[in-house]
Each structure stands twice: as C-alpha cells, then as structure tokens.
Amino acid sequence: MSTKNQRDGSVFRVDKFVVPAEARDEILGKVRMTHELLRQQEGFVRDFLLEQFSGPGEFNLVTMVEWESQAAVDKVVPIVKAAHERIAFSPQETITRLGVKADIANYQRVPEA
C-alpha cells in the first residue's frame, strides 16, 4: 500500500460492536449523534459507520474515525465527554443496558517494510 498522500501521524479510532437486533436503532442513533460532533472538531479527517451484511465475523457494527494526530484526539476527548454529560448520555451505561459487546481502541498505520 502506498503512503503517498497519507498522514504519517494519523490516529484511527476503531470501535467494534456486537449489537443485538433490538438495540440497533438506539445504538446507531447515539453513534450518529457522536459522529456529528466529531466531524466538527479540529483535526478530524474522516469517518466511517460500517454495518456487517455478510460473513462470519462477530462484530456487526464498526465505526472508524481518522484524526490528524494524537494531539487532535487528546483535544477532542474532553469535548465529547462534556457534550455527553450535557445530555445525560453515558456510553458505558447504554452499552451495558442494551447488552452490546464493545471493542474500542486507537490504531496507527503499520509502516511499510
């Protein structure tokens, strides 16, 4: 894969979820709300909301956000937390209440050999 036109310092936030069918609409609503906020932040590059439609994979909903740098991620964390607090939204409580399994982590590109 060529790294031409790719940011060397990009950080990718990848959230993978196992979402029960009855929780799909609520989870997607919360994800969309959060991503609308993320898209307005400095350092945001792009995002994807992906839903599995075939294959044996465990996770049926995956989100990815690319940030310019770790510094951009560090700046946005308190902004998102404050926005969620203003509307009394707790991601962890929602995940637990709906029986959603989450795997959440930050990633970086693997350097070319």
Side-chain angles (χ1 to χ4, degrees):
M1 176 192 317
S2 171
T3 57
K4 186 176 180 183
N5 295 325
Q6 294 179 353
R7 301 177 202 313
D8 290 332
S10 286
V11 173
F12 299 85
R13 168 67 180 252
V14 180
D15 298 353
K16 299 177 283 189
F17 302 99
V18 177
V19 180
E22 61 275 10
R24 179 187 178 275
D25 290 344
E26 184 173 346
I27 289 294
L28 278 175
K30 299 300 187 188
V31 166
R32 287 181 175 129
M33 174 193 68
T34 300
H35 279 245
E36 284 298 319
L37 174 63
L38 298 178
R39 290 179 190 122
Q40 299 170 28
Q41 304 309 308
E42 184 178 339
F44 172 88
V45 177
R46 62 183 165 167
D47 67 336
F48 296 97
L49 306 178
L50 306 169
E51 187 168 28
Q52 180 184 13
F53 68 92
S54 70
E58 175 183 18
F59 298 100
N60 57 342
L61 184 66
V62 177
T63 69
M64 188 282 299
V65 178
E66 181 179 0
W67 296 97
E68 289 179 351
S69 65
Q70 183 61 48
V73 173
D74 294 343
K75 287 180 184 177
V76 79
V77 168
I79 293 169
V80 171
K81 183 177 179 183
H84 286 169
E85 287 174 356
R86 277 193 299 278
I87 61 169
F89 169 56
S90 166
Q92 188 57 49
E93 181 277 328
T94 302
I95 286 170
T96 300
R97 176 175 53 81
L98 295 175
V100 172
K101 178 180 173 186
D103 178 27
I104 297 170
N106 290 336
Y107 295 80
Q108 60 187 11
R109 284 190 174 90
V110 175
E112 289 191 35

